[in-house]
Amino acid sequence: MSQFGEVDFSKIPQDFPILQRETRPGVRLVYLDSAATSQKPEAVISAMDAYYRNSNANIHRGVHTLAEEATSLYEESRKKVAAFIGAAYPYEVIFTRNTTEAINLVAYSWARKNLKQGDIIVLTEMEHHSNLVPWQILAEERDIRLEFVPVTPEGFLDLEVYRQVLALQPRLVSFMHVSNVLGTINPVKEMIQAAHEAGAVVMLDAAQSVPHMPVNVQELDVDFMAFSAHKMLGPTGIGALYGKQSLLEAMPPFLGGGDMIKKVYLRTFVPNDLPHKFEAGTPAIAEAIGFGAAVDYLSAIGMENVAKHEQEIVSYAINTLLEIPEVHLIGPLNAQKGAVTSFTYSGVHPHDVAQILDHEGIAVRAGHHCAMPLHQKYNLPATSRASFYIYNTLEDVNLLVKGLEKVKRYFG
Amino acid sequence: MEDLYREIIIERYKQPLYKGVLEPCDISFEDENPLCGDRVRIDLRVDAEGKVVEAAFSGHGCAISQAASDLLLEAVIGKTVEEIKALSKQDILDMLGIDLGPVRLKCALLPLKVIKSGVYGVNVGDDE
């Protein structure tokens, strides 16, 4: 693998121990559920293992060797993640449990300080539950108005309506970069610029974009951005909130406890500086180190190369699936899109499709993918979803097609 | 795979014998599995002795939930409301003739949950 020039993607599956397993004797695992969670390369697993074997200690306090090592590994990871997304400063990256917690942090800290009754928050119809429910809770509590940008039948945001709701002068606009169901890549740069011109702060749910394409927070000029390590080769239990320094500085703490304080008296406290102000209690240290290793692994491949590889796979998947008369694809077909293909199969419930594919070793998702309102919009109780990542190959798509032939054999 | 998608399951999924609605009816209940969107409504007509004389289900879902609904209704015709209350998870699995993992078990047990909620007149929890 090289940082320069062509990457040999055929060798990448070898770096992932789990991809060497069979789901039953003689049947290789074909993992097409990376939009739910990605698999982990040896480099990530061994970085976490090495931390527990050699450097395990609590961070930021002890002066002993292990505490120094653990602290420096943890903070190194923050620097790696910050550099990966082009943040101006490492302390603009707050470690959270996941994307959901990062969005909730903004909802509880920034929004509760800055929003009042009658203020408007703009969301979209394609949002994942994690970018709906925190705002619904807030709206209920503060009597805040939620406005939604509709999704067109082709799977794009209706930007005309977006401009109309921006004219209502919302305080906050929060939307996803890439849809986990449709694969739509939203025109975020233009949307952020338009939101700023309308005077709104922008929160970007980047759970499905940061793992798959180059994302630069300064280029986008985004105010807040949330993403999870586990969808980008890292462990579960760790994610990040990026926030512009000026916004984070002015925000009250989220959770209270150790590490987020400078001084504590019996009745009062002085909050710590960024980023520690938002990281109360002992954090997920090993997971943060695994996150850093994942970022190293992706950086070595290069995110341009990752995006190119996935584009090739998803285009091939769309073209081959379109040839199966029983298969109906959901979301954009021609436009550049994320590494996701959601589909239905005539007369067969997505659960049954997933079950038959599982028998062939193929892991796909069946359900509403935590986007119930979006499925309601398309009048679909559920869909099957195949999602791809760096370790998938064109052969995986061929196996998916073969698996779908089995669906026909059982239900045809 | 042949075990899970036994002929009877595919057959009942594609050509259910008890699909439809009964209006009016004596007992009607509807519920869904929020995780997968399966939805089942069951309507029952009951005679003076409390015996089920007619039954129908409607809704949508996977082969397992739909076949389980159909087989369950076939089994409850002629049974009393008290006998329906006594039905168990194992009865459903016996009807289907398969064993299921935890995720698919939810699909198979949805009609049982619905019919029990109907006869008890309240929403009952998962019977696992």
Side-chain angles (χ1 to χ4, degrees):
Chain A
M1 208 193 313
S2 157
Q3 200 159 0
F4 309 99
E6 289 291 304
V7 177
D8 185 357
F9 275 93
S10 69
K11 292 213 167 65
I12 283 184
Q14 294 165 15
D15 293 341
F16 292 77
I18 208 167
L19 299 179
Q20 315 313 314
R21 72 162 280 183
E22 298 180 334
T23 57
R24 59 191 172 91
V27 177
R28 169 173 83 84
L29 168 67
V30 178
Y31 188 74
L32 303 181
D33 196 18
S34 294
T37 196
S38 66
Q39 296 302 345
K40 323 302 174 197
E42 184 64 46
V44 168
I45 298 167
S46 59
M48 295 173 70
D49 183 75
Y51 162 73
Y52 278 127
R53 286 176 193 281
N54 303 313
S55 311
N56 178 54
N58 211 332
I59 54 168
H60 294 149
R61 282 172 291 266
V63 289
H64 55 77
T65 305
L66 296 187
E68 290 283 7
E69 278 182 25
T71 303
S72 113
L73 286 166
Y74 181 79
E75 291 303 332
E76 271 309 308
S77 280
R78 190 193 312 277
K79 286 183 197 155
K80 288 173 185 177
V81 173
F84 189 71
I85 57 164
Y89 310 103
Y91 52 76
E92 290 180 322
V93 169
I94 313 296
F95 283 134
T96 61
R97 276 194 304 143
N98 44 39
T99 301
T100 300
E101 189 178 278
I103 295 172
N104 274 278
L105 196 163
V106 174
Y108 277 89
S109 174
W110 180 85
R112 276 172 176 74
K113 181 170 187 212
N114 292 287
L115 301 193
K116 56 181 194 313
Q117 185 182 16
D119 281 347
I120 296 172
I121 296 177
V122 172
L123 307 170
T124 85
E125 281 182 351
M126 66 168 72
E127 297 313 309
H128 187 268
H129 298 165
S130 60
N131 197 26
L132 288 172
V133 181
W135 309 116
Q136 291 170 351
I137 294 171
L138 181 73
E140 171 76 24
E141 186 187 306
R142 292 284 167 94
D143 201 9
I144 281 163
R145 196 168 129 200
L146 302 180
E147 290 289 338
F148 292 89
V149 181
V151 184
T152 66
E154 297 76 32
F156 297 100
L157 290 178
D158 187 331
L159 296 176
E160 189 48 48
V161 176
Y162 181 58
R163 274 183 282 274
Q164 289 164 12
V165 291
L166 286 181
L168 302 171
Q169 293 187 302
R171 299 292 313 280
L172 176 75
V173 175
S174 186
F175 53 86
M176 55 180 16
H177 191 167
V178 175
S179 164
N180 65 316
V181 177
L182 306 168
T184 314
I185 303 174
N186 291 319
V188 289
K189 195 169 178 185
E190 294 74 11
M191 289 175 71
I192 290 166
Q193 201 187 337
H196 283 163
E197 282 163 9
V201 164
V202 180
M203 160 105 234
L204 187 64
D205 174 352
Q208 300 289 350
S209 62
V210 166
H212 300 282
M213 60 188 68
V215 176
N216 185 302
V217 290
Q218 290 190 78
E219 227 167 80
L220 293 177
D221 192 26
V222 69
D223 300 303
F224 295 110
M225 185 173 88
F227 52 105
S228 295
H230 75 92
K231 291 197 203 292
M232 49 190 291
L233 312 180
T236 54
I238 189 127
L241 171 70
Y242 161 81
K244 281 182 182 163
Q245 181 185 357
S246 55
L247 287 164
L248 292 173
E249 296 265 359
M251 279 158 62
F254 173 36
L255 300 173
D259 227 31
M260 55 71 71
I261 41 80
K262 213 176 255 171
K263 288 177 190 166
V264 176
Y265 309 97
L266 273 182
R267 293 182 193 281
T268 55
F269 70 94
V270 180
N272 205 339
D273 297 328
L274 292 177
H276 313 296
K277 180 166 89 175
F278 295 109
E279 293 179 5
T282 299
I285 303 168
E287 287 76 6
I289 292 164
F291 196 176
V295 160
D296 282 343
Y297 185 92
L298 286 170
S299 302
I301 298 173
M303 292 311 288
E304 293 282 358
N305 290 326
V306 170
K308 210 172 113 194
H309 174 71
E310 291 179 2
Q311 197 65 49
E312 190 190 343
I313 304 237
V314 82
S315 307
Y316 181 66
I318 288 172
N319 290 332
T320 38
L321 290 173
L322 278 175
E323 284 172 26
I324 306 174
E326 292 84 3
V327 169
H328 307 279
L329 296 174
I330 291 122
L333 296 180
N334 303 315
Q336 211 195 5
K337 65 177 270 174
V340 172
T341 35
S342 294
F343 59 94
T344 57
Y345 192 101
S346 292
V348 188
H349 190 275
H351 264 180
D352 297 315
V353 172
Q355 186 100 50
I356 291 167
L357 292 176
D358 176 64
H359 194 66
E360 306 304 312
I362 302 161
V364 299
R365 197 87 168 162
H368 50 60
H369 321 297
C370 292
M372 285 181 84
L374 183 64
H375 279 76
Q376 279 155 11
K377 169 95 183 182
Y378 286 104
N379 208 8
L380 296 165
T383 53
S384 301
R385 178 184 73 189
S387 54
F388 309 97
Y389 209 5
I390 51 168
Y391 35 69
N392 291 118
T393 59
L394 298 180
E395 179 56 17
D396 290 347
V397 177
N398 292 335
L399 290 168
L400 170 66
V401 170
K402 268 193 189 158
L404 290 170
E405 284 164 12
K406 291 271 169 71
V407 173
K408 188 166 187 166
R409 230 185 64 197
Y410 283 105
F411 281 87
Chain B
M1 193 58 15
E2 275 79 9
D3 295 343
L4 184 57
Y5 291 104
R6 293 174 66 228
E7 212 172 305
I8 181 136
I9 292 176
I10 300 287
E11 206 180 279
R12 290 301 185 103
Y13 171 65
K14 290 172 116 177
Q15 279 162 330
L17 303 177
Y18 296 92
K19 189 124 192 192
V21 291
L22 298 177
E23 275 169 359
C25 64
D26 302 299
I27 292 170
S28 179
F29 205 85
E30 181 170 341
D31 205 353
E32 66 179 348
N33 179 345
L35 284 177
C36 53
D38 286 359
R39 175 170 279 279
V40 170
R41 169 179 153 183
I42 292 177
D43 298 339
L44 301 175
R45 282 191 185 136
V46 181
D47 69 12
E49 287 144 33
K51 270 191 186 153
V52 175
V53 288
E54 265 184 281
F57 78 98
S58 49
H60 51 76
C62 64
I64 306 292
S65 73
Q66 302 296 294
S69 301
D70 207 50
L71 290 164
L72 173 65
L73 294 194
E74 183 173 72
V76 300
I77 288 183
K79 282 207 164 58
T80 64
V81 165
E82 289 311 309
E83 285 172 310
I84 290 173
K85 288 180 181 173
L87 286 171
S88 70
K89 159 187 158 188
Q90 195 53 50
D91 292 324
I92 299 289
L93 292 179
D94 290 346
M95 288 171 203
L96 291 167
I98 51 174
D99 210 10
L100 291 168
V103 178
R104 296 312 294 273
L105 197 56
K106 293 252 180 225
C107 308
L109 296 184
L110 177 62
L112 181 65
K113 187 177 176 225
V114 170
I115 202 167
K116 283 200 173 187
S117 298
V119 295
Y120 279 105
V122 288
N123 202 335
V124 299
D126 289 335
D127 182 31
E128 282 176 58

